[in-house]
Amino acid sequence: MGDMTNSDFYSKNQRNESSHGGEFGCTMEELRSLMELRGTEAVVKIKETYGDTEAICRRLKTSPVEGLPGTAPDLEKRKQIFGQNFIPPKKPKTFLQLVWEALQDVTLIILEIAAIISLGLSFYHPPGESNEGCATAQGGAEDEGEAEAGWIEGAAILLSVICVVLVTAFNDWSKEKQFRGLQSRIEQEQKFTVVRAGQVVQIPVAEIVVGDIAQIKYGDLLPADGLFIQGNDLKIDESSLTGESDQVRKSVDKDPMLLSGTHVMEGSGRMVVTAVGVNSQTGIIFTLLGAGGEEEEKKDKKAKQQDGAAAMEMQPLKSAEGGDADDKKKANMHKKEKSVLQGKLTKLAVQIGKAGLVMSAITVIILVLYFTVDTFVVNKKPWLTECTPVYVQYFVKFFIIGVTVLVVAVPEGLPLAVTISLAYSVKKMMKDNNLVRHLDACETMGNATAICSDKTGTLTTNRMTVVQAYVGDVHYKEIPDPSSINAKTMELLVNAIAINSAYTTKILPPEKEGALPRQVGNKTECGLLGFVLDLKQDYEPVRSQMPEEKLYKVYTFNSVRKSMSTVIKMPDESFRMYSKGASEIVLKKCCKILSGAGEPRVFRPRDRDEMVKKVIEPMACDGLRTICVAYRDFPSSPEPDWDNENDILNELTCICVVGIEDPVRPEVPEAIRKCQRAGITVRMVTGDNINTARAIAIKCGIIHPGEDFLCLEGKEFNRRIRNEKGEIEQERIDKIWPKLRVLARSSPTDKHTLVKGIIDSTHTEQRQVVAVTGDGTNDGPALKKADVGFAMGIAGTDVAKEASDIILTDDNFSSIVKAVMWGRNVYDSISKFLQFQLTVNVVAVIVAFTGACITQDSPLKAVQMLWVNLIMDTFASLALATEPPTETLLLRKPYGRNKPLISRTMMKNILGHAVYQLTLIFTLLFVGEKMFQIDSGRNAPLHSPPSEHYTIIFNTFVMMQLFNEINARKIHGERNVFDGIFRNPIFCTIVLGTFAIQIVIVQFGGKPFSCSPLQLDQWMWCIFIGLGELVWGQVIATIPTSRLKFLKEAGRLTQKEEIPEEELNEDVEEIDHAERELRRGQILWFRGLNRIQTQIEVVNTFKSGASFQGALRRQSSVTSQSQDVASLSSPSRVSLSNALSSPTSLPPAAAGHPRREGVP
């Protein structure tokens, strides 16, 4: 199907092409087939067909230097002929489809059948009805009028079913709409740099057209296919298309093909765009997936395996060099572990469902038995054939009562509450600068116990300024006076900084008067260029003299080199290389240094050690980042072997060392203090020098002098966690991470190792939930591995954003604290709802059950139950799930993964309120008629009119729920339940609205709702009893929870269940225990919970990494899991819980854990 639409699309475009005859020298088809070639084939094809890339540029009417003219008609024409850079999203589900899905709910189906039978029977007048001898068990003959009204109950049930379905469908629909909005916002924010009419401009990705000259640099996600024209040292990660994890080196003469959706891992350059949108390589795959998608909808069950197969097919099997593990991982991508909350909810729901099923079954059995025994045994009535329909009618009534008990027992509102709460939080988090890409990340964040943060840009402002310098044997504590620096040195310094930096890095005049100059591009380089300007020099003339095309060779910065070098050809044909980088790395390669007179003198290792002690360490201890600038001259012949990096990057001459300050953001220390108070450990992982890192960590408050903590460098960290064979051992990591606060000079793999080590650790009794912040391409793996990955919205590269769960739109650490607050709020909202919902359930089920057993008829009728169900489920979930968060949420420790959903305090509240409600309802049921001097509603015949007695019971029941809803706003046993109630207008509206509807139902509901109007004094009593709930709530709050040891908690995820054995066998589809229960088909209606997961799926980018669903990427290797299981099953596990309890206290020296060493 998708193929057809594709071919339509192409044929349409071909018609366009033929009509535009010789507009451009190549058609879309030609370019498309060209882009399908790789490497040498492509080079040959370009040579044969076009000549070279320049020729293709000419045919596409574009200039490699100036770019497109950028006039509107030209851009329009290109869009018409070659298509737009936009992949049409998959069609959303229509409202009717969502309605159909909501109707699949088993409970609703049972109700519908019951209602239809009841309707059918009410219209069918059996001949036996007049027969006195049929069923006098229920006493009293009935009025003709009421018999006519028998259809009302069935109709009312159907009506309420329709209500529930519409509400559910509408919720799903609005959620889907919200996510599409969110997705398009993410897409619109993505911009790319192109050259148009000689100007470098940033345009939205969708605006890119064929023929554009795009500038690409380290960390970009390529938005379209193109050919490489010019650049240096470009390496690309094409694993998203080919599955090969090796980086591919691109060059004009060997492999110029650049494909959309691939990541630039190193270097920079320019490309001419040759295919966009559906014609680009990613677009072609997308259209195929789109076609597969619709069939998958139909075979929902097989979808999982199909995804896997698709993922496998797209990755050609790799060589035996350890690539297979990668494949497996990719195929397992969609098997995300359920988020903590969902796991607990599924489990709880199963438990409640079972109880409800048992209760309803017993109710029906008792009713039927009582009726048959009473009719046929006690009264010795024969079974007459003409009476059969009458008996069937009774049985249907009993069945409906049973189903009603079940309906009330099952909390359908749970999925709704979770969804509403998450959707509401996500919307509000946007205002707090958190753009949530995966819904459940928001809830996982509330359980976070550790945050591994980057330093630059997150904890600091990322505005680099040079504040100290060491030039010509003098250490200047502030910017030196230009006259004090030798002219030769000055010239070398300016050239070295201006040429040996990305030309895209500039310092522009401020936007507003009095503001700071704007820094564009790499911030460290901006700091150096700022230094040049502070020395009253200018870097622009140097750059215009030596444009980017003339640079002979560039070694771009990467995380291995930690330096950048540029080679230029001098007028006398010799070569000069400028280098800059981390001072301790570059200084090791220097053998000379410029003296005060500007002459190079010998620089021995012992001079270097002295310099480190006297200059670099003092700078670093002030929290400065030290950068060394150096150069080296090469003869013109023989030309050096530029690929032999070790020889080239050696024997340098040091020009100067500068100390760059990146001030701590003013709001960070407070935010970190909040985190620590909330029981979250903040660790800093940075590529900087250890002294700088320590100084900044003290400024931020990550470490406090005098505490027992570790600050390690990457090398030392690796030495401590690896065994003799060089393998990483979990036990060794466990000895380090609890005290580790700063990891300096770390590589991306160190960051990933640390995150994985903390997540897989069984050292504490709670599994750690780790959040990670990152901005660079190299942070991708750590962001993916973490439970919640935060990417920087401003400084972050596309790769980092792709791997993250939440994007910080203001790059600010304090926004993470807001995310924690929202996450905890989601968790609390669900708990509030549960506390309320379960009280209603317990009471309603017991009332219906005992009522049915003692009086053969439930005091709460099916329609009333459905109304109660509606207010208690849908409305309450809205009211309680939208409570705004407060700062007090940050005063408690994280709940952790195996804390039960329903705490003891909540259990106390649920049972306490249930006791109050049951006492009053049973009092009303059995002596209510005497209290109010009205007719008893008990033992009424089959179609009798509604009694005032039962109406009072129903009304009192609803009043108690309404006031209990106010009690449910607090779950930690607080006294003041009205605290902050007006901050939540939704809550007030819903409570008042429900009250108003209740008045209407009671006064005018009549037969369908089995209500008869009440007098004012009766209303007063109902409200008075309801108000008693608030008083009773205070009574319950006085009982100390610690005394009630016998109360069980519910909804706990045990550690065993966290690692189901199936995970160990990767090929078996993962099913956790709760789901296995579900499989038995007993309680199908909890598909609702799993349905949330599917709804949450935003139509994500094709990258398998992006469609991650759960928040927990526990893709840990098979071995570490079997170790986990082994260590769990052994009873002698030493608990080190107090390691977590306070940041200062230390784990006691447990058996097998000798004391760790202190700070190095």
Side-chain angles (χ1 to χ4, degrees):
M1 197 205 106
D3 297 4
M4 241 177 63
T5 50
N6 274 359
S7 48
D8 296 349
F9 185 89
Y10 297 138
S11 55
K12 195 167 74 215
N13 277 348
Q14 275 161 330
R15 281 201 294 281
N16 284 351
E17 279 163 33
S18 49
S19 60
H20 292 286
E23 289 284 352
F24 296 103
C26 31
T27 64
M28 187 176 78
E29 280 294 300
E30 286 171 29
L31 289 174
R32 230 184 110 201
S33 53
L34 172 64
M35 292 317 293
E36 278 164 8
L37 302 172
R38 302 277 179 273
T40 38
E41 292 174 34
V43 178
V44 174
K45 172 90 178 173
I46 293 172
K47 278 216 174 70
E48 285 173 3
T49 322
Y50 305 101
D52 59 358
T53 39
E54 299 272 328
I56 295 185
C57 289
R58 282 199 294 281
R59 288 198 187 192
L60 288 174
K61 305 208 167 115
T62 177
S63 139
V65 183
E66 297 286 310
L68 290 178
T71 56
D74 176 52
L75 296 178
E76 257 322 296
K77 195 160 58 187
R78 286 173 192 273
K79 277 186 189 164
Q80 268 179 340
I81 296 179
F82 297 111
Q84 293 181 325
N85 195 20
F86 158 75
I87 295 168
K90 208 161 110 200
K91 282 205 299 290
K93 287 190 177 144
T94 59
F95 188 69
L96 286 175
Q97 277 172 307
L98 292 170
V99 167
W100 177 243
E101 273 182 16
L103 275 170
Q104 308 296 310
D105 195 8
V106 177
T107 330
L108 290 180
I109 294 172
I110 297 178
L111 270 180
E112 285 154 30
I113 295 170
I116 290 165
I117 297 176
S118 161
L119 269 178
L121 287 175
S122 69
F123 290 123
Y124 167 65
H125 289 299
E129 208 158 288
S130 51
N131 187 333
E132 278 302 302
C134 280
T136 46
Q138 300 294 321
E142 54 208 33
D143 248 328
E144 273 308 295
E146 266 79 53
E148 296 309 305
W151 60 273
I152 294 182
E153 184 166 41
I157 294 179
L158 282 182
L159 194 72
S160 44
V161 166
I162 292 169
C163 268
V164 173
V165 167
L166 288 178
V167 168
T168 317
F170 178 72
N171 264 306
D172 292 353
W173 179 78
S174 58
K175 194 163 72 248
E176 175 88 356
K177 206 167 118 239
Q178 262 180 359
F179 280 122
R180 293 205 167 248
L182 188 74
Q183 197 59 17
S184 61
R185 229 197 97 168
I186 294 177
E187 278 161 14
Q188 282 155 12
E189 281 183 350
Q190 207 182 358
K191 290 208 163 49
F192 209 78
T193 318
V194 296
V195 182
R196 285 200 178 159
Q199 290 294 312
V200 177
V201 286
Q202 282 216 329
I203 58 170
V205 169
E207 297 294 311
I208 292 176
V209 294
V210 170
D212 255 326
I213 303 293
Q215 288 202 342
I216 51 180
K217 59 179 189 311
Y218 165 75
D220 281 344
L221 179 72
L222 298 184
D225 292 354
L227 295 172
F228 187 43
I229 320 175
Q230 164 272 323
N232 31 54
D233 215 10
L234 191 67
K235 284 194 189 152
I236 300 236
D237 169 17
E238 294 188 349
S239 59
S240 58
L241 285 180
T242 61
E244 295 290 344
S245 50
D246 299 340
Q247 293 175 12
V248 185
R249 195 186 209 108
K250 298 287 176 185
S251 60
V252 183
D253 44 1
K254 292 206 183 67
D255 182 1
M257 314 307 276
L258 299 173
L259 308 173
S260 58
T262 57
H263 296 140
V264 183
M265 300 309 279
E266 211 174 291
S268 60
R270 291 181 172 194
M271 73 168 185
V272 56
V273 176
T274 54
V276 292
V278 275
N279 303 305
S280 66
Q281 292 303 301
T282 309
I284 293 168
I285 292 176
F286 250 121
T287 24
L288 292 175
L289 283 183
E294 271 128 39
E295 290 147 30
E296 269 174 39
E297 294 296 304
K298 291 169 200 149
K299 329 180 200 153
D300 205 23
K301 293 285 182 312
K302 289 188 190 159
K304 287 252 164 52
Q305 291 126 21
Q306 277 181 21
D307 284 355
M312 291 300 271
E313 274 163 35
M314 273 154 38
Q315 299 148 350
L317 285 172
K318 306 200 197 118
S319 55
E321 300 161 60
D324 328 331
D326 236 34
D327 264 11
K328 252 202 191 132
K329 230 190 203 141
K330 285 235 169 67
N332 281 337
M333 283 310 191
H334 57 264
K335 295 189 188 168
K336 278 295 272 304
E337 197 177 309
K338 274 211 204 77
S339 77
V340 186
L341 189 60
Q342 274 169 345
K344 289 179 181 177
L345 280 178
T346 313
K347 217 177 153 218
L348 187 70
V350 170
Q351 292 167 346
I352 297 173
K354 277 184 177 165
L357 201 66
V358 171
M359 290 292 275
S360 64
I362 296 177
T363 313
V364 175
I365 293 167
I366 289 184
L367 284 171
V368 172
L369 278 178
Y370 188 96
F371 176 76
T372 39
V373 170
D374 196 55
T375 312
F376 303 121
V377 180
V378 181
N379 295 333
K380 303 201 170 47
K381 293 272 166 67
W383 180 295
L384 302 168
T385 36
E386 63 267 30
C387 287
T388 310
V390 183
Y391 296 147
V392 170
Q393 219 160 344
Y394 271 111
F395 290 146
V396 169
K397 179 182 160 189
F398 298 151
F399 181 63
I400 288 183
I401 293 174
V403 173
T404 320
V405 172
L406 181 61
V407 172
V408 179
V410 173
E412 305 85 90
L414 266 185
L416 197 64
V418 178
T419 316
I420 292 176
S421 179
L422 286 175
Y424 172 77
S425 306
V426 167
K427 213 168 170 176
K428 288 279 190 268
M429 281 168 80
M430 290 288 270
K431 293 197 177 77
D432 283 340
N433 303 315
N434 283 304
L435 193 133
V436 181
R437 290 183 67 235
H438 299 135
L439 247 195
D440 29 17
C442 148
E443 160 252 311
T444 312
M445 206 46 220
N447 287 323
T449 55
I451 297 176
C452 294
S453 172
D454 257 6
K455 175 177 78 73
T456 313
T458 316
L459 300 174
T460 58
T461 53
N462 205 5
R463 241 204 103 78
M464 307 280 191
T465 37
V466 173
V467 288
Q468 294 189 20
Y470 179 89
V471 191
D473 295 341
V474 189
H475 182 176
Y476 297 95
K477 293 283 189 186
E478 54 244 18
I479 300 291
D481 182 12
S483 57
S484 65
I485 295 179
N486 179 291
K488 262 196 222 157
T489 311
M490 181 68 95
E491 191 198 354
L492 271 168
L493 179 62
V494 173
N495 279 346
I497 290 175
I499 293 173
N500 184 29
S501 57
Y503 279 31
T504 47
T505 304
K506 307 185 193 57
I507 291 193
L508 303 178
E511 282 173 346
K512 295 196 282 286
E513 272 298 302
L516 294 165
R518 280 182 301 155
Q519 298 188 339
V520 182
N522 180 314
K523 298 295 194 258
T524 311
E525 292 180 350
C526 287
L528 290 168
L529 292 174
F531 179 52
V532 171
L533 299 176
D534 288 341
L535 292 172
K536 311 283 184 284
Q537 308 291 318
D538 192 4
Y539 62 89
E540 282 298 349
V542 182
R543 283 186 173 180
S544 45
Q545 236 176 339
M546 175 62 67
E548 207 169 354
E549 294 77 53
K550 281 202 194 160
L551 300 180
Y552 194 79
K553 167 93 183 145
V554 179
Y555 300 95
T556 48
F557 181 89
N558 66 22
S559 51
V560 180
R561 283 192 196 117
K562 292 221 191 279
S563 67
M564 168 179 179
S565 313
T566 305
V567 182
I568 57 171
K569 217 171 187 163
M570 303 296 281
D572 63 355
E573 293 293 310
S574 67
F575 300 100
R576 173 171 287 173
M577 175 178 77
Y578 293 115
S579 265
K580 69 165 189 290
S583 55
E584 54 261 55
I585 289 171
V586 178
L587 277 178
K588 278 192 185 124
K589 299 179 175 162
C590 289
C591 62
K592 295 192 177 127
I593 187 165
L594 291 184
S595 64
E599 294 303 326
R601 62 177 170 79
V602 182
F603 184 62
R604 290 182 299 274
R606 69 158 181 269
D607 301 333
R608 184 173 69 234
D609 296 342
E610 190 176 341
M611 182 153 168
V612 167
K613 251 201 212 77
K614 296 262 174 69
V615 179
I616 292 172
E617 280 184 1
M619 279 188 187
C621 291
D622 292 341
L624 303 185
R625 198 176 194 169
T626 52
I627 302 281
C628 175
V629 182
Y631 77 101
R632 176 180 178 185
D633 286 327
F634 295 98
S636 53
S637 66
E639 186 171 330
D641 169 13
W642 298 115
D643 288 337
N644 184 350
E645 257 181 68
N646 291 341
D647 290 357
I648 301 285
L649 293 180
N650 223 330
E651 302 184 11
L652 307 175
T653 307
C654 167
I655 305 174
C656 73
V657 173
V658 293
I660 299 184
E661 182 183 43
D662 184 7
V664 172
R665 286 175 181 262
E667 62 282 346
V668 162
E670 173 57 22
I672 286 182
R673 200 162 63 250
K674 278 184 190 160
C675 280
Q676 288 165 341
R677 203 171 53 222
I680 301 170
T681 313
V682 182
R683 295 182 173 82
M684 178 158 97
V685 183
T686 174
D688 245 347
N689 168 320
I690 187 153
N691 295 327
T692 312
R694 194 186 278 124
I696 299 266
I698 289 173
K699 278 185 194 163
C700 294
I702 291 179
I703 53 183
H704 303 286
E707 276 181 11
D708 183 13
F709 54 79
L710 287 176
C711 293
L712 294 181
E713 281 201 350
K715 275 190 192 136
E716 172 66 7
F717 174 68
N718 271 309
R719 193 183 60 72
R720 291 196 188 190
I721 61 171
R722 291 173 193 276
N723 58 17
E724 294 69 45
K725 295 183 200 148
E727 294 157 355
I728 297 172
E729 282 188 0
Q730 185 63 42
E731 291 91 70
R732 288 172 182 250
I733 298 183
D734 284 348
K735 287 187 185 153
I736 292 177
W737 72 257
K739 283 196 207 167
L740 183 68
R741 290 292 175 275
V742 176
L743 184 59
R745 282 277 176 252
S746 68
S747 68
T749 34
D750 294 343
K751 192 171 187 174
H752 182 254
T753 309
L754 177 67
V755 172
K756 184 176 181 314
I758 298 181
I759 288 180
D760 292 347
S761 171
T762 48
H763 170 82
T764 51
E765 68 192 52
Q766 298 279 6
R767 141 146 149 53
Q768 295 277 311
V769 178
V770 184
V772 168
T773 67
D775 52 3
T777 308
N778 46 17
D779 294 328
L783 287 171
K784 261 193 187 146
K785 176 68 202 170
D787 295 309
V788 183
F790 286 92
M792 301 298 141
I794 304 166
T797 57
D798 300 342
V799 185
K801 289 180 190 171
E802 203 53 54
S804 68
D805 300 290
I806 298 181
I807 296 174
L808 295 178
T809 47
D810 62 346
D811 287 15
N812 193 335
F813 186 84
S814 59
S815 301
I816 299 179
V817 182
K818 296 243 179 67
V820 172
M821 211 155 80
W822 276 108
R824 293 186 171 191
N825 192 49
V826 168
Y827 205 94
D828 279 8
S829 297
I830 305 297
S831 296
K832 287 172 191 173
F833 172 69
L834 265 176
Q835 174 177 315
F836 174 66
Q837 167 89 45
L838 291 178
T839 314
V840 183
N841 282 7
V842 169
V843 176
V845 169
I846 294 180
V847 168
F849 175 70
T850 34
C853 297
I854 298 171
T855 65
Q856 277 71 63
D857 183 11
S858 166
L860 298 172
K861 301 287 180 288
V863 183
Q864 294 175 351
M865 287 283 212
L866 283 167
W867 160 238
V868 168
N869 213 24
L870 191 73
I871 60 170
M872 301 321 152
D873 276 3
T874 315
F875 295 157
S877 61
L878 250 177
L880 292 167
T882 52
E883 289 269 318
T886 55
E887 287 279 329
T888 48
L889 287 169
L890 293 175
L891 298 178
R892 61 171 178 78
K893 298 272 175 281
Y895 280 147
R897 294 178 56 89
N898 28 14
K899 166 153 190 332
L901 259 182
I902 300 175
S903 62
R904 258 207 193 112
T905 315
M906 285 167 62
M907 212 48 150
K908 176 183 77 175
N909 290 344
I910 291 170
L911 296 177
H913 287 295
V915 167
Y916 174 83
Q917 295 183 10
L918 286 170
T919 315
L920 281 161
I921 283 177
F922 284 136
T923 312
L924 285 175
L925 180 59
F926 295 113
V927 291
E929 71 271 34
K930 300 195 188 81
M931 289 160 60
F932 290 105
Q933 273 102 43
I934 45 175
D935 294 337
S936 165
R938 294 195 300 281
N939 297 339
L942 194 58
H943 291 296
S944 51
S947 63
E948 280 187 352
H949 182 195
Y950 274 18
T951 309
I952 291 178
I953 293 178
F954 166 57
N955 200 17
T956 311
F957 181 65
V958 174
M959 288 303 122
M960 291 197 286
Q961 300 323 326
L962 275 185
F963 287 105
N964 193 27
E965 196 164 340
I966 299 174
N967 277 330
R969 292 185 63 245
K970 299 285 177 251
I971 48 173
H972 297 300
E974 295 92 333
R975 289 260 174 203
N976 180 4
V977 286
F978 292 101
D979 179 35
I981 194 164
F982 296 114
R983 287 224 319 276
N984 188 358
I986 303 181
F987 184 85
C988 306
T989 323
I990 283 179
V991 171
L992 295 172
T994 315
F995 187 62
I997 301 175
Q998 178 65 17
I999 296 178
V1000 174
I1001 288 179
V1002 171
Q1003 297 306 90
F1004 312 106
K1007 183 80 194 179
F1009 279 98
S1010 323
C1011 287
S1012 78
L1014 300 179
Q1015 271 98 43
L1016 188 64
D1017 60 327
Q1018 292 168 336
W1019 264 102
M1020 283 302 138
W1021 274 107
C1022 292
I1023 294 175
F1024 175 71
I1025 295 174
L1027 273 168
E1029 269 288 357
L1030 293 174
V1031 183
W1032 184 245
Q1034 295 302 317
V1035 175
I1036 295 180
T1038 20
I1039 306 171
T1041 316
S1042 49
R1043 290 281 167 80
L1044 308 172
K1045 287 279 187 292
F1046 58 88
L1047 286 184
K1048 259 188 64 170
E1049 301 150 328
R1052 167 198 287 274
L1053 269 188
T1054 52
Q1055 276 219 306
K1056 284 260 173 60
E1057 276 168 37
E1058 262 186 64
I1059 320 159
E1061 303 80 84
E1062 274 91 337
E1063 269 188 36
L1064 304 179
N1065 177 359
E1066 299 254 328
D1067 313 328
V1068 182
E1069 214 179 326
E1070 297 181 14
I1071 316 166
D1072 71 13
H1073 295 306
E1075 275 194 9
R1076 233 176 294 148
E1077 299 277 354
L1078 293 180
R1079 285 287 163 85
R1080 296 188 188 140
Q1082 293 168 326
I1083 314 166
L1084 284 162
W1085 50 87
F1086 281 106
R1087 277 185 324 177
L1089 278 169
N1090 298 3
R1091 211 180 292 156
I1092 299 173
Q1093 285 183 311
T1094 20
Q1095 294 157 354
I1096 283 170
E1097 272 193 295
V1098 184
V1099 183
N1100 250 330
T1101 20
F1102 137 72
K1103 278 246 350 171
S1104 59
S1107 62
F1108 267 173
Q1109 251 210 10
L1112 304 166
R1113 329 242 142 75
R1114 205 154 168 202
Q1115 279 282 352
S1116 53
S1117 60
V1118 184
T1119 50
S1120 71
Q1121 271 165 342
S1122 40
Q1123 283 166 10
D1124 287 359
V1125 175
S1127 66
L1128 291 177
S1129 42
S1130 66
S1132 60
R1133 220 175 76 228
V1134 183
S1135 120
L1136 288 175
S1137 56
N1138 29 357
L1140 281 186
S1141 58
S1142 74
T1144 43
S1145 74
L1146 289 171
H1153 286 277
R1155 286 300 255 202
R1156 325 266 147 68
E1157 49 276 31
V1159 188

